[in-house]
């Protein structure tokens, strides 16, 4: 095939091609382009892919190196959140809803009999996706644009004054459920860092990036109990101070992450065992206290629409939260106040100085002082600890 014929064929999909390409390279490229078209990518996204191929070709001297370069770039198109996928997703002219539908279709996502979202591939979330990756920021904005007016719950259930297609309803539910897979990836990434425990690995990761952690969001829903509430066992830590997008629930005693993904079992077919009856109530405690990726902006109505007023959870989490209940804030008729809050890591360190046998009584003293001073929840244990020691 002459280069002019190639140019006309290539131009038909909106790409400008140079002359210096062999027949084999051309064949490989067009096969890849056809695959991208068939999977649902538009012309703008395919242009991005071709630019990556062209750029990689500059540094590949031999035909074998060129082939390896294309294999690598092709592989990244299968990884949600990889540099190539991120740029294609961002540049695509598909609507926000169409982008989300495309991503979930590529993951072959579906809701199983227990309302749990299963991902069956062949596309996967990039194992190198970080809690501070650009893709997560883009995905968050895309979700905000796709569901701008109402809560995800309303988009899922509908309302008398709205006409919402079944397609949009299912998309809203799947996007809500998908956040747990983002949580899993962020947890796994941090656990591969250096540190004595999960919390120290997280601190080392953000320190290396110069990113701050936020400790100020209340952790009632991640300190659930059965029968009698004693004192908080966990703290909530969010990345970053400004975005509060990714959150981790940390055991205040061990420094390990508390998560539903610590207990879920993988079946032989690669799917998650989502049957609630296959888990003990003790295992369901972590499901009840698990983290939750935030699609909305902090201190913005989008947080309520996308993260608070969400569709019903999978059956396994509903069973978990019906048994493991949360305690109300101390200034709203309850017994709860955060151990770690405004003082951040200093609150955590101060709590470690309290002997385990004394923590219940110490917490009661701390709770009593908060009530006496009529403080808001942005307090933190370190301030109480320092004041108590000054009075000794």
């Amino acid at each position: 095939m002459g280069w002019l014929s190639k140019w006309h064929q290539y131009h038909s999909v909106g790409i400008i091609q140079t002359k210096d390409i062999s027949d084999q390279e051309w064949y490989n490229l067009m096969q890849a382009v056809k695959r991208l078209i068939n999977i649902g990518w538009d012309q703008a996204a395919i242009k991005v892919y071709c630019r990556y191929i062209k750029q990689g070709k500059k540094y590949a001297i031999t035909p074998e190196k060129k082939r390896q370069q294309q294999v690598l770039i092709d592989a990244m198109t299968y990884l949600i959140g990889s540099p190539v996928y991120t740029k294609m997703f961002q540049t695509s002219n598909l609507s926000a809803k169409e982008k989300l539908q495309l991503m979930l279709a590529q993951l072959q996502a579906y809701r199983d009999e227990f309302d749990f979202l299963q991902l069956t591939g062949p596309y996967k979330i990039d194992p190198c996706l970080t809690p501070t990756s650009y893709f997560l920021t883009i995905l968050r904005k895309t979700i905000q644009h796709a569901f701008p007016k109402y809560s995800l719950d309303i988009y899922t259930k509908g309302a008398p004054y709205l006409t919402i297609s079944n397609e949009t309803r299912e998309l809203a539910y799947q996007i809500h459920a998908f956040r747990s897979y983002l949580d899993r990836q962020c947890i796994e990434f941090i656990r591969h860092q250096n540190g004595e425990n999960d919390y120290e690995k997280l601190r080392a990761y953000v320190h290396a990036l110069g990113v701050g952690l936020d400790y100020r969001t209340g952790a009632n829903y991640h300190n659930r109990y059965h029968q009698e509430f004693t004192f908080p066992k966990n703290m909530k830590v969010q990345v970053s101070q400004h975005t509060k997008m990714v959150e981790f629930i940390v055991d205040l005693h061990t420094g390990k992450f508390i998560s539903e993904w610590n207990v879920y079992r993988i079946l032989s077919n690669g799917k998650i065992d989502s049957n609630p009856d296959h888990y003990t109530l003790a295992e369901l405690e972590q499901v009840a206290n698990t983290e939750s990726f935030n699609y909305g902006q902090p201190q913005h109505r989008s947080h309520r629409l996308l993260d608070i007023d969400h569709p019903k959870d999978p059956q396994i989490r509903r069973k978990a939260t019906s048994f493991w209940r949360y305690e109300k804030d101390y200034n709203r008729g309850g017994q709860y106040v955060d151990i770690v809050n405004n003082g951040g890591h200093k609150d955590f360190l101060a709590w470690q100085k309290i002997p385990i046998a004394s923590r219940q009584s110490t917490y009661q003293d701390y709770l009593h002082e908060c009530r006496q001073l009529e403080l808001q929840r942005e307090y933190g244990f370190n301030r109480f600890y320092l004041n108590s020691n000054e009075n000794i």
Side-chain angles (χ1 to χ4, degrees), residues 289-351:
N289 285 327
T290 197
E291 70 293 317
S292 182
F293 188 94
N294 291 297
Y295 292 143
Q297 300 292 134
Q299 309 299 320
H300 188 268
R301 67 187 293 268
S302 62
H303 177 50
R304 171 161 293 281
L305 296 180
L306 301 175
D307 304 317
I308 299 175
D309 297 338
H310 58 70
K312 64 180 181 180
D313 286 317
Q315 291 182 29
I316 188 169
R317 179 157 164 77
R318 278 182 271 162
K319 180 177 179 179
T321 54
S322 67
F323 183 83
W324 297 97
R325 311 306 294 269
Y326 73 93
E327 178 67 13
K328 293 180 181 178
D329 289 334
Y330 75 95
N331 55 358
R332 295 185 178 180
Q335 301 289 319
Y336 184 88
V337 61
D338 287 317
I339 296 292
V340 178
N341 199 288
N342 212 38
H345 184 59
K346 292 180 180 179
D347 289 339
F348 174 81
L349 293 177
W351 184 248

Side-chain angles (χ1 to χ4, degrees), residues 9 38 171 184 294 334 383:
Q9 185 179 357
N38 289 338
L171 176 63
R184 179 173 70 168
N294 291 297
R383 180 175 164 184

Side-chain angles (χ1 to χ4, degrees), residues 234-252:
N234 309 317
M235 66 177 178
K236 178 188 287 191
V237 185
Q238 293 176 307
V239 180
S240 64
Q241 285 178 312
H242 303 294
T243 66
K244 297 186 179 183
M245 184 162 51
V246 180
E247 66 183 42
F248 301 91
I249 309 305
V250 180
D251 186 310
L252 283 166

Side-chain angles (χ1 to χ4, degrees), residues 150-369:
Y150 311 106
S151 70
L152 283 181
D153 188 41
I154 289 179
Y155 277 111
T156 301
K157 295 190 303 187
Y161 52 86
L162 290 176
T163 301
I164 300 176
S165 68
N166 290 335
E167 187 178 61
T168 298
R169 293 184 185 206
E170 184 59 23
L171 176 63
Y173 184 85
Q174 289 194 13
I175 284 298
H176 164 58
F178 181 65
R179 74 178 85 224
S180 67
Y181 284 96
L182 299 176
D183 293 329
R184 179 173 70 168
Q185 170 55 31
C186 291
I187 287 172
E188 287 301 313
F189 183 86
I190 294 300
R191 282 178 168 163
H192 282 86
Q193 308 305 303
N194 295 321
E196 293 183 4
N197 54 47
D198 293 335
Y199 178 51
E200 289 303 321
K201 291 176 181 181
L202 175 60
R203 293 186 68 241
Y205 167 72
V206 297
H207 177 74
L209 294 177
V211 174
L213 294 173
D214 190 276
Y215 298 82
R216 294 170 296 175
T217 303
N220 309 51
Y221 295 107
H222 311 282
N223 279 284
R224 293 173 179 266
Y225 69 98
H226 184 66
Q227 292 184 334
E228 183 181 2
F229 178 75
T230 54
F231 57 88
K233 309 297 194 305
N234 309 317
M235 66 177 178
K236 178 188 287 191
V237 185
Q238 293 176 307
V239 180
S240 64
Q241 285 178 312
H242 303 294
T243 66
K244 297 186 179 183
M245 184 162 51
V246 180
E247 66 183 42
F248 301 91
I249 309 305
V250 180
D251 186 310
L252 283 166
H253 180 60
T254 66
K256 295 180 180 179
F257 290 149
I258 299 296
S259 175
E260 59 190 331
W261 294 106
N262 291 339
V263 299
Y264 287 159
R265 290 183 278 276
I266 309 299
L267 300 172
S268 59
N269 59 9
K271 298 177 184 179
I272 308 299
D273 183 357
S274 60
N275 187 334
D277 295 335
H278 291 175
Y279 295 87
T280 66
L281 291 172
E283 289 174 321
L284 291 179
E285 183 179 8
Q286 292 214 48
V287 177
N289 285 327
T290 197
E291 70 293 317
S292 182
F293 188 94
N294 291 297
Y295 292 143
Q297 300 292 134
Q299 309 299 320
H300 188 268
R301 67 187 293 268
S302 62
H303 177 50
R304 171 161 293 281
L305 296 180
L306 301 175
D307 304 317
I308 299 175
D309 297 338
H310 58 70
K312 64 180 181 180
D313 286 317
Q315 291 182 29
I316 188 169
R317 179 157 164 77
R318 278 182 271 162
K319 180 177 179 179
T321 54
S322 67
F323 183 83
W324 297 97
R325 311 306 294 269
Y326 73 93
E327 178 67 13
K328 293 180 181 178
D329 289 334
Y330 75 95
N331 55 358
R332 295 185 178 180
Q335 301 289 319
Y336 184 88
V337 61
D338 287 317
I339 296 292
V340 178
N341 199 288
N342 212 38
H345 184 59
K346 292 180 180 179
D347 289 339
F348 174 81
L349 293 177
W351 184 248
Q352 306 313 306
K353 297 174 184 178
I354 307 301
I356 295 176
S358 303
R359 288 186 174 180
Q360 174 62 43
S361 60
T362 302
Y363 177 75
Q364 289 300 320
D365 293 340
Y366 171 53
L367 179 64
H368 178 70
E369 179 169 310

Side-chain angles (χ1 to χ4, degrees), residues 30-133:
M30 288 309 298
Q31 288 298 109
V33 168
K34 289 177 182 177
R35 176 180 66 82
L36 295 174
I37 292 173
N38 289 338
I39 200 65
W41 287 113
D42 64 353
Q43 191 178 98
I46 294 173
K47 283 184 179 181
V48 170
Y49 168 82
C50 291
R51 282 198 293 270
Y52 270 100
I53 294 293
K54 184 177 179 180
Q55 189 68 22
K57 186 182 172 190
K58 292 180 180 179
Y59 304 100
I61 301 174
T62 65
E64 178 60 19
K65 290 290 185 182
K66 292 177 181 178
R67 186 192 68 79
Q68 292 175 358
Q69 189 70 25
Q70 181 165 346
V71 169
L72 176 62
I73 294 171
D74 283 349
M76 284 196 280
T77 66
Y78 282 92
L79 294 176
I80 310 297
S82 71
V84 175
Y85 190 97
T86 297
K87 193 64 177 177
M88 292 176 68
F89 189 88
Q90 179 186 23
T91 307
S92 170
N93 289 324
L94 296 173
S95 70
K97 284 185 180 179
E98 288 171 337
K99 287 182 180 182
L100 298 177
Q101 288 168 332
L102 175 62
M103 178 187 71
L104 291 169
Q106 290 168 341
L107 290 165
Q108 292 184 9
Y110 75 95
R111 190 186 341 186
D112 70 12
E113 60 186 306
F114 303 107
D115 292 324
F116 196 94
L117 189 70
Q118 301 283 358
L119 307 182
T120 59
Y123 285 68
K124 308 290 183 185
I125 296 175
D126 186 359
C128 295
L129 187 70
T130 73
T132 54
S133 73

